Amino acid sequence: MSQVQVTRKRVLPGFGLTMGYSVLYLSLVVLVPLSALLLNSTGLTWEKFWDVATDVRVLASYKVSFLCAAAAALIDLFLGLLIAWVLVRYEFPGKRIFDAVIDLPFALPTAVAGVALTALYAQNGWIGSLFEPLGWKMAYSQTGITLALMFIGIPFVVRTVQPVLEELDKDEEEVAATLGASRWRTFRSVIVPELIPPLLTGFALAFARGIGEYGSVVFISGNMPMKTEIAPLLIMSKLEQNDYAGATAVALMLLVISFLLLLVINSIQRWSRRRTV
């Protein structure tokens, strides 16, 4: 009896070719620019690099960037879960339009978003004027920076949580309800464990985007040194002053800190996935 050899057809070529193209494009887009940043820093002595990276103004800009990015990503974590839940679990008029508006920060130029947010939250703006009598300054403060970062980060959380919510098996929720579990306990014990990995992914993406955001923040922040000056703006200021060594030192330190934080977040994400499997 003759054996018939069945060859499995693949959409993409073999591992060698696809891996080669992946490494090539990754190198051109990511690795080469980062390597150029490291090469530019070789002209800096360690003392010069340390003096620039630990300058009081630079440290203050790091603090503003990371704290505001973390606060915005944390708020987006809860708002994104709420929005994704509404989009998946409910039907209402205008749902398609509402769903499309979520992606607007992806397409809208960040400078336009910054101008619009500044006009709204300034002291004489529609929303800012309501908080001004209460002594709460929205624009030209760290609150305004956080609002801008929330605006550009919310789609990352929604779009990572929404597909997981759509694929959740509702039979498990029905079984929990049959066994007498309340809605809150069902949500906490059945749904939340499945959402932890995508929530951490959305948080990491929003946080990473917020750290490097420039266009939407530069208008609403006020750019006050030691108060509302972000690290990307400080890098641009040094470049405008032809201080390439100083800009490289600030950028390199920002890169290292961002990489370490994202490494920690990704480690937590892998750990949570192993627990839920």
Side-chain angles (χ1 to χ4, degrees):
M1 189 174 78
S2 61
Q3 295 180 351
V4 179
Q5 183 179 3
V6 179
T7 59
R8 184 180 179 182
K9 295 183 179 181
R10 299 178 179 178
V11 178
L12 295 176
F15 173 77
L17 184 60
T18 53
M19 185 63 180
Y21 275 110
S22 300
V23 173
L24 174 63
Y25 287 118
L26 180 64
S27 300
L28 293 176
V29 175
V30 179
L31 299 181
V32 172
L34 294 181
S35 300
L37 179 63
L38 294 175
L39 291 175
N40 287 335
S41 64
T42 56
L44 287 171
T45 62
W46 173 251
E47 291 77 12
K48 173 66 175 177
F49 173 81
W50 186 252
D51 290 340
V52 174
T54 58
D55 182 70
V56 178
R57 182 179 176 183
V58 175
L59 293 177
S61 68
Y62 289 151
K63 181 180 178 181
V64 172
S65 294
F66 284 102
L67 288 181
C68 291
L74 187 61
I75 297 173
D76 284 340
L77 195 68
F78 295 97
L79 292 180
L81 174 59
L82 179 61
I83 294 173
W85 182 273
V86 171
L87 289 174
V88 173
R89 294 301 178 98
Y90 300 101
E91 294 293 335
F92 53 90
K95 179 179 178 179
R96 292 181 180 273
I97 298 177
F98 185 75
D99 192 16
V101 170
I102 301 299
D103 294 327
L104 190 60
F106 287 148
L108 189 68
T110 54
V112 176
V115 172
L117 291 172
T118 305
L120 284 174
Y121 291 101
Q123 297 178 1
N124 56 350
W126 290 352
I127 301 177
S129 60
L130 300 177
F131 291 91
E132 183 64 21
L134 303 176
W136 192 353
K137 188 177 181 181
M138 304 294 287
Y140 313 122
S141 64
Q142 294 187 16
T143 302
I145 297 175
T146 304
L147 288 171
L149 298 182
M150 286 172 55
F151 174 80
I152 57 100
I154 190 67
F156 292 100
V157 181
V158 175
R159 295 313 182 199
T160 53
V161 175
Q162 186 176 0
V164 179
L165 276 176
E166 291 174 347
E167 295 176 0
L168 284 181
D169 189 3
K170 294 184 179 180
D171 292 339
E172 297 181 3
E173 300 178 40
E174 295 176 357
V175 170
T178 303
L179 294 176
S182 62
R183 291 186 177 181
W184 168 245
R185 185 173 182 181
T186 302
F187 177 78
R188 183 185 60 196
S189 303
V190 177
I191 300 176
V192 169
E194 299 293 334
L195 296 180
I196 290 179
L199 283 173
L200 288 176
T201 301
F203 176 84
L205 292 174
F207 178 66
R209 173 67 188 275
I211 292 174
E213 178 61 21
Y214 175 80
S216 63
V217 178
V218 67
F219 296 102
I220 198 172
S221 65
N223 309 323
M224 292 179 287
M226 308 295 295
K227 293 182 179 180
T228 62
E229 187 178 46
I230 58 175
L233 176 63
L234 187 58
I235 295 173
M236 291 297 298
S237 299
K238 289 183 177 295
L239 289 176
E240 292 174 354
Q241 298 169 4
N242 295 325
D243 185 9
Y244 298 104
T248 302
V250 176
L252 184 60
M253 182 61 70
L254 186 65
L255 172 65
V256 172
I257 298 175
S258 303
F259 178 78
L260 292 177
L261 289 176
L262 291 177
L263 183 63
V264 172
I265 294 174
N266 289 333
S267 300
I268 297 175
Q269 181 182 355
R270 287 194 297 270
W271 173 77
S272 65
R273 282 179 175 174
R274 286 196 298 267
R275 287 195 60 186
T276 54
V277 173

